[in-house]
Amino acid sequence: MLLAIDVGNTQAVFGIFEGNVLQHDFRLSSESRRTYDEYGVLLREILHDRGIAIEAIDRVVLASVVPPLTKVYQDMSTSRLGIEPVVVGPGVRTGMPILYDNPREVGADRIVNGVAGYERFRNEDGGPHGVIIVDFGTATTFDVVSPKGEYLGGAIAPGVFIATEALYQKASKLPRVDLKVPSSTIGKTTVTSMQAGIMYGYVGLVDGMVERMRTELPFS
């Protein structure tokens, strides 16, 4: 079984694959103060709850945008699983040319997004497709891959959670609100007005960015 780990600034997402099929997935908060032993215990317990023996894991791939946690998860893999993980980053061959001015600047999360998005849509009918991948995380990222499988670049915007929290912290009269879609873009209360601005605003952000990117691309 393959254990895939995607370490983000807020959460780490785990996927257990058998062949190309995702069998299980779960999340842990990204806590840099935790040791590799603590993460190892959590991993064992979660796998046990899902009826998976930790010994069944024979491969590990790690993509991380949090350098302090990259080493923690590497150590967890080697000490708890006895496996040297493949760490996505500069020098790792993904089969996707990175057409960035400085390829080393591209985060591991964006590279794996590009590879996964391209492979998924290419395999739908066997033909190549250009893709735009939108990832809602701590940041909202847009990644563009050509029909030839080249990573062309993209855009990075503040994530919806960051924007919501900043609004609460910086505007003294505005409350913290739940992220839910209101019935109308025209709010009748402070809470629904904020929800409309946040949720529909990000819909507009995504629609607008994708449309602008499509107009700049030689493929549709």
Side-chain angles (χ1 to χ4, degrees), residues 136-188:
F136 295 92
T138 305
T140 299
T141 59
F142 301 78
D143 300 297
V144 183
V145 181
S146 76
K148 295 180 180 180
E150 304 158 321
Y151 181 88
L152 301 180
I156 303 173
V160 63
F161 295 104
I162 287 179
T164 303
E165 193 64 16
L167 197 60
Y168 164 71
Q169 291 180 356
K170 299 298 183 181
S172 58
K173 289 188 176 183
L174 296 182
R176 182 180 276 121
V177 298
D178 293 330
L179 292 178
K180 57 187 296 185
V181 180
S183 59
S184 172
T185 57
I186 304 172
K188 298 296 186 181

Coordinates of all heavy atoms in Angstrom, one line a residue, residues 136-188:
F136 N -8.2 25.1 -3.0 CA -8.6 26.0 -1.9 C -8.0 25.5 -0.6 O -8.4 24.5 0.0 CB -10.2 25.9 -1.7 CG -10.9 26.5 -2.8 CD1 -11.4 25.7 -3.9 CD2 -11.2 27.9 -2.9 CE1 -12.0 26.3 -5.0 CE2 -11.9 28.4 -4.0 CZ -12.3 27.6 -5.0
G137 N -6.9 26.1 -0.2 CA -6.2 25.8 1.0 C -5.9 27.0 1.8 O -6.7 28.0 1.8
T138 N -4.8 27.0 2.5 CA -4.5 28.3 3.2 C -4.4 29.4 2.2 O -4.8 30.5 2.5 CB -3.1 28.1 4.0 OG1 -3.2 26.9 4.8 CG2 -2.8 29.3 4.8
A139 N -3.8 29.1 1.1 CA -3.9 30.0 -0.1 C -4.8 29.4 -1.1 O -4.9 28.2 -1.2 CB -2.5 30.3 -0.7
T140 N -5.4 30.2 -2.0 CA -6.1 29.7 -3.1 C -5.2 29.8 -4.3 O -4.7 30.9 -4.7 CB -7.4 30.5 -3.4 OG1 -8.3 30.5 -2.3 CG2 -8.1 30.0 -4.6
T141 N -4.9 28.6 -4.9 CA -3.9 28.6 -6.0 C -4.5 28.2 -7.3 O -5.5 27.3 -7.3 CB -2.7 27.6 -5.7 OG1 -3.2 26.3 -5.4 CG2 -2.0 28.1 -4.4
F142 N -4.0 28.7 -8.4 CA -4.5 28.4 -9.7 C -3.2 27.9 -10.5 O -2.2 28.5 -10.5 CB -5.0 29.6 -10.4 CG -6.2 30.2 -9.8 CD1 -6.0 31.1 -8.7 CD2 -7.5 30.0 -10.2 CE1 -7.1 31.7 -8.0 CE2 -8.6 30.6 -9.6 CZ -8.4 31.4 -8.5
D143 N -3.3 26.7 -11.0 CA -2.2 26.1 -11.7 C -2.6 25.7 -13.1 O -3.7 25.1 -13.3 CB -1.6 24.9 -11.0 CG -1.2 25.3 -9.6 OD1 -0.2 26.1 -9.5 OD2 -1.7 24.8 -8.6
V144 N -1.8 26.0 -14.1 CA -2.1 25.7 -15.5 C -1.2 24.7 -16.1 O 0.1 24.9 -16.0 CB -2.1 27.1 -16.3 CG1 -2.5 26.8 -17.8 CG2 -3.0 28.1 -15.7
V145 N -1.7 23.7 -16.8 CA -0.9 22.7 -17.4 C -1.4 22.6 -18.9 O -2.6 22.6 -19.2 CB -1.1 21.3 -16.8 CG1 -0.2 20.3 -17.5 CG2 -0.7 21.4 -15.3
S146 N -0.4 22.6 -19.8 CA -0.7 22.6 -21.2 C -1.1 21.2 -21.7 O -0.9 20.2 -21.0 CB 0.6 23.0 -22.0 OG 1.5 21.9 -22.1
P147 N -1.7 21.0 -22.9 CA -2.0 19.7 -23.4 C -0.8 18.8 -23.5 O -0.9 17.6 -23.6 CB -2.6 20.0 -24.8 CG -3.2 21.4 -24.6 CD -2.2 22.1 -23.8
K148 N 0.4 19.4 -23.6 CA 1.6 18.6 -23.7 C 2.1 18.1 -22.3 O 3.1 17.4 -22.2 CB 2.8 19.4 -24.3 CG 2.5 19.8 -25.8 CD 3.7 20.6 -26.4 CE 3.4 21.0 -27.8 NZ 4.6 21.8 -28.4
G149 N 1.4 18.5 -21.3 CA 1.8 18.1 -19.9 C 2.9 19.0 -19.3 O 3.6 18.6 -18.4
E150 N 2.9 20.3 -19.8 CA 3.9 21.2 -19.2 C 3.2 22.1 -18.2 O 2.1 22.6 -18.4 CB 4.4 22.1 -20.4 CG 5.0 21.4 -21.5 CD 5.0 22.2 -22.8 OE1 4.1 22.9 -23.1 OE2 6.0 22.1 -23.5
Y151 N 3.9 22.3 -17.1 CA 3.4 23.2 -16.0 C 3.8 24.6 -16.5 O 4.9 25.0 -16.6 CB 4.0 22.9 -14.7 CG 3.5 23.8 -13.6 CD1 2.4 23.5 -12.9 CD2 4.2 25.0 -13.3 CE1 1.9 24.3 -11.9 CE2 3.7 25.8 -12.3 CZ 2.6 25.5 -11.6 OH 2.1 26.3 -10.6
L152 N 2.7 25.4 -16.8 CA 3.0 26.8 -17.3 C 3.1 27.9 -16.3 O 3.6 28.9 -16.6 CB 1.8 27.1 -18.3 CG 1.6 26.1 -19.5 CD1 0.5 26.6 -20.4 CD2 2.9 26.0 -20.3
G153 N 2.5 27.6 -15.1 CA 2.5 28.7 -14.1 C 1.1 28.8 -13.5 O 0.3 27.9 -13.6
G154 N 0.8 30.0 -12.9 CA -0.5 30.1 -12.3 C -0.6 31.4 -11.5 O 0.0 32.4 -11.8
A155 N -1.4 31.3 -10.5 CA -1.6 32.5 -9.6 C -1.9 32.0 -8.2 O -2.3 30.9 -8.0 CB -2.9 33.3 -10.1
I156 N -1.6 32.9 -7.3 CA -1.8 32.6 -5.8 C -2.6 33.8 -5.2 O -2.2 34.9 -5.4 CB -0.4 32.5 -5.1 CG1 0.4 31.3 -5.7 CG2 -0.7 32.2 -3.6 CD1 1.8 31.2 -5.2
A157 N -3.6 33.5 -4.5 CA -4.5 34.5 -3.8 C -4.6 34.1 -2.4 O -4.5 32.9 -2.0 CB -5.8 34.6 -4.5
P158 N -5.0 35.0 -1.5 CA -5.2 34.6 -0.1 C -6.4 33.6 0.0 O -7.3 33.7 -0.8 CB -5.6 35.9 0.6 CG -5.0 37.0 -0.3 CD -5.1 36.5 -1.7
G159 N -6.2 32.6 0.8 CA -7.3 31.7 1.0 C -8.5 32.2 1.7 O -8.4 33.3 2.4
V160 N -9.6 31.6 1.5 CA -10.9 32.1 2.0 C -10.9 32.2 3.6 O -11.4 33.1 4.2 CB -12.1 31.3 1.5 CG1 -12.0 29.8 2.0 CG2 -13.4 31.9 1.9
F161 N -10.2 31.2 4.2 CA -10.1 31.2 5.7 C -9.3 32.4 6.2 O -9.6 33.0 7.2 CB -9.6 29.9 6.2 CG -10.5 28.7 5.9 CD1 -10.2 27.8 4.9 CD2 -11.7 28.5 6.6 CE1 -11.1 26.8 4.6 CE2 -12.5 27.5 6.4 CZ -12.2 26.6 5.3
I162 N -8.1 32.6 5.5 CA -7.3 33.8 5.9 C -8.0 35.1 5.7 O -8.0 35.9 6.6 CB -6.0 33.8 5.0 CG1 -5.1 32.6 5.4 CG2 -5.3 35.1 5.1 CD1 -3.8 32.6 4.5
A163 N -8.7 35.2 4.6 CA -9.5 36.5 4.3 C -10.5 36.7 5.4 O -10.8 37.8 5.9 CB -10.1 36.4 2.9
T164 N -11.3 35.6 5.7 CA -12.3 35.7 6.7 C -11.8 36.1 8.1 O -12.3 37.0 8.8 CB -13.1 34.4 6.8 OG1 -13.6 34.0 5.5 CG2 -14.2 34.5 7.8
E165 N -10.7 35.5 8.5 CA -10.1 35.8 9.8 C -9.5 37.2 9.8 O -9.7 37.9 10.8 CB -9.0 34.7 10.1 CG -8.6 34.7 11.5 CD -9.6 34.3 12.5 OE1 -10.7 33.8 12.1 OE2 -9.4 34.6 13.7
A166 N -8.9 37.6 8.7 CA -8.4 39.0 8.7 C -9.5 40.0 8.8 O -9.4 41.0 9.5 CB -7.6 39.2 7.4
L167 N -10.7 39.7 8.2 CA -11.8 40.6 8.3 C -12.3 40.8 9.7 O -12.6 41.9 10.2 CB -12.9 40.1 7.4 CG -14.1 41.1 7.0 CD1 -13.5 42.3 6.2 CD2 -15.1 40.4 6.1
Y168 N -12.3 39.7 10.4 CA -12.8 39.7 11.8 C -11.7 40.4 12.7 O -12.1 41.2 13.6 CB -12.9 38.2 12.3 CG -13.0 38.1 13.8 CD1 -14.1 38.5 14.5 CD2 -12.0 37.5 14.5 CE1 -14.2 38.3 15.9 CE2 -12.0 37.3 15.8 CZ -13.1 37.8 16.5 OH -13.2 37.6 17.9
Q169 N -10.5 40.1 12.5 CA -9.4 40.7 13.3 C -9.2 42.2 13.1 O -8.8 42.9 14.0 CB -8.1 39.9 13.1 CG -8.2 38.5 13.7 CD -6.9 37.8 13.5 OE1 -5.9 38.3 12.9 NE2 -6.8 36.5 14.0
K170 N -9.3 42.6 11.9 CA -9.0 44.0 11.5 C -10.1 45.0 11.5 O -9.9 46.2 11.5 CB -8.3 44.0 10.1 CG -7.0 43.2 10.0 CD -6.0 43.7 11.0 CE -4.7 43.0 10.8 NZ -3.6 43.5 11.8
A171 N -11.4 44.5 11.5 CA -12.5 45.4 11.6 C -13.2 45.1 12.9 O -13.9 44.1 13.1 CB -13.5 45.1 10.4
S172 N -13.1 46.1 13.8 CA -13.5 45.9 15.2 C -15.0 45.6 15.4 O -15.4 44.9 16.3 CB -13.2 47.1 16.0 OG -13.8 48.3 15.5
K173 N -15.9 46.0 14.4 CA -17.3 45.8 14.6 C -17.8 44.6 13.8 O -19.0 44.3 13.9 CB -18.1 47.1 14.1 CG -17.9 48.3 15.0 CD -18.9 49.4 14.6 CE -18.8 50.6 15.6 NZ -19.7 51.6 15.3
L174 N -16.9 43.9 13.1 CA -17.4 42.8 12.3 C -17.1 41.5 13.1 O -16.0 41.3 13.6 CB -16.7 42.7 11.0 CG -17.0 43.9 10.1 CD1 -16.2 43.7 8.7 CD2 -18.5 44.0 9.8
P175 N -18.1 40.6 13.2 CA -18.0 39.3 14.0 C -17.3 38.2 13.1 O -17.1 38.4 11.9 CB -19.4 38.9 14.3 CG -20.2 39.4 13.1 CD -19.5 40.7 12.7
R176 N -16.9 37.2 13.8 CA -16.4 36.0 13.1 C -17.7 35.2 12.6 O -18.6 35.0 13.4 CB -15.6 35.1 14.0 CG -15.0 33.9 13.4 CD -14.2 33.0 14.3 NE -12.8 33.5 14.4 CZ -12.3 33.9 15.6 NH1 -13.0 34.0 16.7 NH2 -11.0 34.4 15.6
V177 N -17.7 34.8 11.4 CA -18.9 34.2 10.8 C -18.6 32.8 10.3 O -17.4 32.5 10.0 CB -19.5 35.0 9.7 CG1 -19.9 36.4 10.2 CG2 -18.5 35.2 8.5
D178 N -19.6 31.9 10.2 CA -19.4 30.6 9.6 C -19.4 30.8 8.1 O -20.0 31.6 7.5 CB -20.6 29.7 9.9 CG -20.7 29.4 11.4 OD1 -19.6 29.3 12.0 OD2 -21.8 29.2 11.9
L179 N -18.6 29.9 7.5 CA -18.5 29.9 6.0 C -19.7 29.1 5.4 O -19.6 27.9 5.2 CB -17.2 29.4 5.5 CG -15.9 30.2 5.9 CD1 -14.7 29.5 5.4 CD2 -16.0 31.6 5.3
K180 N -20.7 29.8 5.1 CA -21.9 29.2 4.5 C -22.4 30.1 3.4 O -22.3 31.4 3.5 CB -23.0 28.8 5.5 CG -23.4 30.0 6.3 CD -24.4 29.6 7.5 CE -25.7 29.0 6.9 NZ -26.6 28.7 8.0
V181 N -23.0 29.6 2.4 CA -23.6 30.4 1.3 C -24.9 30.9 1.7 O -25.9 30.2 2.0 CB -23.7 29.5 0.0 CG1 -24.2 30.3 -1.1 CG2 -22.3 28.9 -0.3
P182 N -25.1 32.3 1.7 CA -26.4 32.8 2.0 C -27.3 32.7 0.8 O -26.9 32.4 -0.3 CB -26.1 34.3 2.3 CG -24.8 34.6 1.5 CD -24.1 33.3 1.5
S183 N -28.6 32.9 1.0 CA -29.6 32.8 0.0 C -29.5 33.9 -1.1 O -30.0 33.7 -2.2 CB -31.0 32.7 0.6 OG -31.3 33.9 1.3
S184 N -28.9 35.0 -0.8 CA -28.8 36.1 -1.7 C -27.5 36.8 -1.6 O -26.8 36.8 -0.5 CB -29.9 37.1 -1.4 OG -29.8 38.3 -2.1
T185 N -27.1 37.4 -2.7 CA -25.8 38.2 -2.6 C -26.1 39.6 -1.9 O -25.1 40.3 -1.5 CB -25.3 38.6 -4.0 OG1 -26.4 39.2 -4.8 CG2 -24.9 37.3 -4.8
I186 N -27.3 39.9 -1.7 CA -27.7 41.2 -1.0 C -28.0 40.8 0.5 O -29.2 40.4 0.8 CB -28.8 41.9 -1.7 CG1 -28.5 42.2 -3.1 CG2 -29.1 43.2 -0.9 CD1 -29.6 42.7 -3.9
G187 N -27.1 40.9 1.4 CA -27.3 40.6 2.8 C -28.2 41.6 3.5 O -28.1 42.8 3.2
K188 N -29.0 41.1 4.4 CA -29.9 41.9 5.2 C -29.5 42.1 6.6 O -30.1 42.8 7.4 CB -31.3 41.3 5.2 CG -32.0 41.2 3.8 CD -32.2 42.6 3.1 CE -32.9 42.5 1.8 NZ -33.1 43.8 1.2

